Amino acid sequence: MHLTIREALTIYPLTEAKLVAGKQGETRIVKSVNVMDAPDIADWTKSGEMLFTTAFAMKDNPQETVNLLRKLNERGAAGLGIKLGRFWTELPQVVVDEADRLNFPIIEMPFQFTFSDQMNALFNAEYKRNTELLQTVLEKQKKLMQFGLKQDNMGAMFQLIGEILGYPMAVVGARGQVLYNTSAWSEEQLAQNWPRKRKSGWVYAGKDRAYRVGLQQQDDEPLGHLLIIPDVMLLATVEEGLFQQAADILTFHMSYTFRSHVEATAERDLQNQLIRYLEKGTSLEDFIEMAEARGSFIFTGAYQCVIGKSKVESLSADSAAQKLSDVKQYMESHAKASQLRGFHFMLKDRLFSIYSTTQADGFPEEELTQLLSKFDGDAGSRDDGFVFYMSGVKMKPNALREAYQECGETLRMAEKLSLPDRVLQYETIEFAHLFQHLSSSSMEDYCAKILRPLLEKDPEYSQEMIRTLEVFIRNDGQVSEAAKQLFIHRNTVTYRLEKISDLLQVDFKKVNDLLKLKAVFLFRQFLQARA
């Protein structure tokens, strides 16, 4: 039982009783109730016990009653209930005066009710109160668990915890800074209880008090403490346990957010250092030193750089940032099991990645190309997804800026020529980079010279054969891949190539002839883009 004298007097039939002396002690806690039937009852009284009596044992000597009050007060008794009318018709003044001096409550009990009626009423009220409290705590625990399983943002976390607990509260950081406060306590009062110990319990600021729980990670520095200011004098054990659960959840979320904040800050600093290097603001050694301090050993062998960029130009800033984050997460999760190690950096509207390998027998370019090709983009749409622009393979760290420029040049030429590929290697557009400043008339003359025997044929036949040749050249002479993209059988592709070879007088096994044809279709792309 944990009722104050004031609360006990609100329970029927004690509502018919009257506090006649020691009124300043009405906040004393009643933990148990007993009937006094002997003058030496004080020797057996427990702290928080309230005694009911008919005054039979003290009716003849008021001074002995005064002495009894003193002993009961020393023992921590809650109060004394006296039923007047049988042995005492009124309290002796000397008893009233002593009770007032000691702030020891004396209650005039209603004569028409037995002690058992009143004791049963108190026990039933306490049982009902405990049941309701347990139900309330259970509901709060369920909400705390639901909250604990969510990754809500830090801004709303303290407010949600406070609403669940149902009491004013404050959260103070490890350095004494007030992170959140819905209580009436000032910052000065909260600062008085900056934690120097881990034990949970009551803390005081003047006449006010709060229940304090430390926010402590295992084997880590403390994050601060949680202060709850309940509107009750005593807390049930289940509520103390509830406060500890709230503190544990806060500790987890705060430590997670703190770690995320630190990691995000470090990653942002590294990205800024990379940008400064690429723009020739700092040395490569500064970037490598910062990366290795974070545990990122990038240059362990051959490496290749990739720029990832969305095809959709109309994306909002938030949507573009989210798509970049999705690509970064995809690349980080899919390259772990391979022979590649990826390091990814957000550079404005694009993702810049450095893939390195420790393989002694060269860089796995094909594996990287397949990894990039598998990315689904936006809902699997090729038109709305990302495109990737790859540099050549580099062997030395000081070629990083060159690799970045190759990625950028691949991107620029791909957009200029409207290339449809989702993954483009620098070597694919290297010729375009070399010939981009050639005049349109020179390109037209060269294309007409090489393709004239085909262009003189029937337009429909000519267009079909030129399309076949273009796809064959773009796929580096792979018949099967060309057939797949043209949606025809590979034998059909082989037949058409034999006809083309005869008409144009070219041998597809000779490098010079392949280079001439590659230049032709490159020039056609330039001419189309310029048109």
Side-chain angles (χ1 to χ4, degrees):
M1 185 182 301
H2 288 82
L3 296 169
T4 63
I5 294 291
R6 184 192 303 123
E7 290 171 337
L9 292 175
T10 63
I11 299 169
Y12 184 83
L14 283 173
T15 51
E16 305 299 317
K18 187 186 344 180
L19 185 58
V20 293
K23 296 180 180 179
Q24 296 299 317
E26 64 178 355
T27 57
R28 293 198 182 203
I29 302 299
V30 180
K31 297 181 180 179
S32 61
V33 182
N34 202 352
V35 176
M36 175 181 168
D37 58 0
D40 60 347
I41 189 65
D43 296 333
W44 312 101
T45 301
K46 301 176 183 177
S47 176
E49 193 167 44
M50 183 173 182
L51 298 175
F52 290 169
T53 181
T54 59
F56 172 76
M58 59 183 74
K59 60 183 175 56
D60 298 324
N61 193 339
Q63 187 57 44
E64 284 299 319
T65 306
V66 170
N67 295 335
L68 175 64
L69 292 182
R70 293 170 182 169
K71 289 182 180 180
L72 292 175
N73 187 62
E74 290 174 1
R75 301 282 293 183
L80 183 64
I82 301 178
K83 182 180 287 191
L84 298 178
R86 186 171 182 183
F87 299 104
W88 274 355
T89 56
E90 62 179 13
L91 281 179
Q93 189 59 42
V94 65
V95 174
V96 173
D97 293 342
E98 184 63 16
D100 288 339
R101 187 184 72 82
L102 297 173
N103 294 326
F104 188 85
I106 296 181
I107 301 170
E108 181 182 334
M109 308 296 289
F111 188 83
Q112 65 272 32
F113 296 102
T114 64
F115 288 158
S116 61
D117 291 336
Q118 296 162 75
M119 293 169 70
N120 287 334
L122 289 175
F123 289 134
N124 289 334
E126 180 66 6
Y127 175 77
K128 181 180 178 182
R129 191 174 77 95
N130 283 338
T131 302
E132 292 174 349
L133 176 62
L134 286 171
Q135 186 63 36
T136 301
V137 169
L138 180 61
E139 290 298 320
K140 291 180 178 180
Q141 283 180 324
K142 288 168 60 177
K143 291 179 181 178
L144 279 176
M145 293 305 296
Q146 291 168 354
F147 171 81
L149 295 173
K150 295 179 181 179
Q151 291 296 330
D152 292 307
N153 61 67
M154 278 289 291
M157 177 171 44
F158 299 137
Q159 180 181 349
L160 288 172
I161 290 288
E163 290 174 355
I164 291 171
L165 295 180
Y167 295 126
M169 69 173 228
V171 180
V172 182
R175 297 178 181 175
Q177 70 275 31
V178 179
L179 304 178
Y180 181 77
N181 184 19
T182 58
S183 72
W185 284 35
S186 65
E187 289 195 15
E188 291 75 15
Q189 286 178 298
L190 294 171
Q192 292 177 23
N193 295 283
W194 186 22
R196 292 179 177 84
K197 58 182 181 178
R198 298 184 181 181
K199 186 177 179 181
S200 301
W202 292 100
V203 291
Y204 295 85
K207 294 182 179 180
D208 299 322
R209 68 175 189 163
Y211 193 84
R212 175 193 171 280
V213 189
L215 305 176
Q216 179 72 37
Q217 305 178 80
Q218 290 185 352
D219 302 323
D220 286 332
E221 291 294 320
L223 297 175
H225 61 276
L226 169 67
L227 287 169
I228 302 103
I229 296 85
D231 54 2
V232 294
M233 293 300 298
L234 279 180
L235 284 176
T237 304
V238 289
E239 284 202 289
E240 293 180 7
L242 183 70
F243 296 159
Q244 184 62 59
Q245 288 179 353
D248 291 341
I249 291 173
L250 277 177
T251 300
F252 170 77
H253 280 273
M254 289 174 67
S255 62
Y256 176 83
T257 303
F258 177 75
R259 287 195 304 271
S260 299
H261 173 73
V262 171
E263 291 172 1
T265 301
E267 184 174 352
R268 190 163 54 248
D269 291 344
L270 185 60
Q271 289 178 176
N272 292 335
Q273 187 70 24
L274 175 61
I275 292 172
R276 286 193 289 270
Y277 160 70
L278 295 175
E279 295 176 351
K280 299 184 179 181
T282 57
S283 68
L284 177 63
E285 288 70 23
D286 292 338
F287 169 69
I288 293 176
E289 182 180 349
M290 181 176 286
E292 291 182 351
R294 292 188 60 217
S296 299
F297 296 90
I298 299 175
F299 303 105
T300 56
Y303 64 95
Q304 194 168 10
C305 295
V306 180
I307 281 179
K309 189 175 184 296
S310 173
K311 283 187 175 182
V312 182
E313 300 294 338
S314 59
L315 284 176
S316 66
D318 290 342
S319 297
Q322 183 59 51
K323 287 177 74 68
L324 278 177
S325 179
D326 292 342
V327 179
K328 183 174 183 290
Q329 185 177 359
Y330 171 86
M331 294 306 171
E332 288 174 342
S333 62
H334 283 72
K336 290 178 180 177
S338 71
Q339 313 228 13
L340 294 167
R341 293 188 303 120
F343 304 89
H344 310 278
F345 306 92
M346 304 281 201
L347 304 183
K348 298 180 181 178
D349 63 338
R350 59 193 63 175
L351 181 71
F352 179 59
S353 304
I354 305 172
Y355 291 92
S356 64
T357 181
T358 56
Q359 291 185 114
D361 55 348
F363 187 87
E365 289 185 75
E366 186 175 347
E367 182 181 345
L368 177 56
T369 302
Q370 290 176 354
L371 170 70
L372 298 174
S373 300
K374 289 178 181 176
F375 180 72
D376 290 332
D378 182 6
S381 170
R382 293 177 66 89
D383 294 331
D384 295 338
F386 263 67
V387 283
F388 300 96
Y389 308 98
M390 305 171 64
S391 73
V393 175
K394 306 299 177 184
M395 302 304 297
K396 296 182 179 180
N398 58 13
L400 177 61
R401 186 182 288 121
E402 177 185 308
Y404 177 72
Q405 291 169 346
E406 288 179 1
C407 292
E409 183 62 19
T410 306
L411 186 159
R412 189 180 72 82
M413 294 304 299
E415 291 181 342
K416 183 175 182 178
L417 300 176
S418 301
L419 298 178
D421 309 69
R422 291 189 59 204
V423 181
L424 276 169
Q425 297 258 8
Y426 174 68
E427 63 184 30
T428 305
I429 58 90
E430 203 162 4
F431 273 143
H433 177 70
L434 291 173
F435 296 129
Q436 60 182 311
H437 300 299
L438 199 64
S439 68
S440 296
S441 60
S442 297
M443 292 182 184
E444 288 173 351
D445 291 343
Y446 187 80
C447 291
K449 175 184 174 182
I450 301 297
L451 297 178
R452 183 175 291 115
L454 264 179
L455 295 173
E456 291 175 349
K457 296 292 182 179
D458 177 74
E460 185 176 346
Y461 175 82
S462 173
Q463 184 177 2
E464 184 178 75
M465 298 299 270
I466 289 176
R467 172 62 178 162
T468 301
L469 181 58
E470 180 182 12
V471 173
F472 173 73
I473 294 298
R474 194 173 68 226
N475 285 282
D476 297 324
Q478 297 182 37
V479 175
S480 297
E481 190 62 31
K484 187 189 300 182
Q485 293 185 19
L486 291 167
F487 302 102
I488 58 178
H489 196 276
R490 71 184 314 277
N491 291 342
T492 305
V493 174
T494 302
Y495 172 77
R496 289 180 182 178
L497 290 175
E498 290 174 354
K499 291 293 184 182
I500 292 169
S501 176
D502 292 339
L503 280 170
L504 302 183
Q505 293 297 301
V506 295
D507 186 347
F508 294 121
K509 295 180 180 179
K510 291 183 178 180
V511 174
N512 286 340
D513 287 352
L514 288 174
L515 286 176
K516 285 193 297 185
L517 293 172
K518 188 175 182 68
V520 164
F521 290 107
L522 175 64
F523 292 164
R524 286 169 64 91
Q525 284 179 314
F526 268 124
L527 292 170
Q528 184 179 1
R530 290 175 182 178

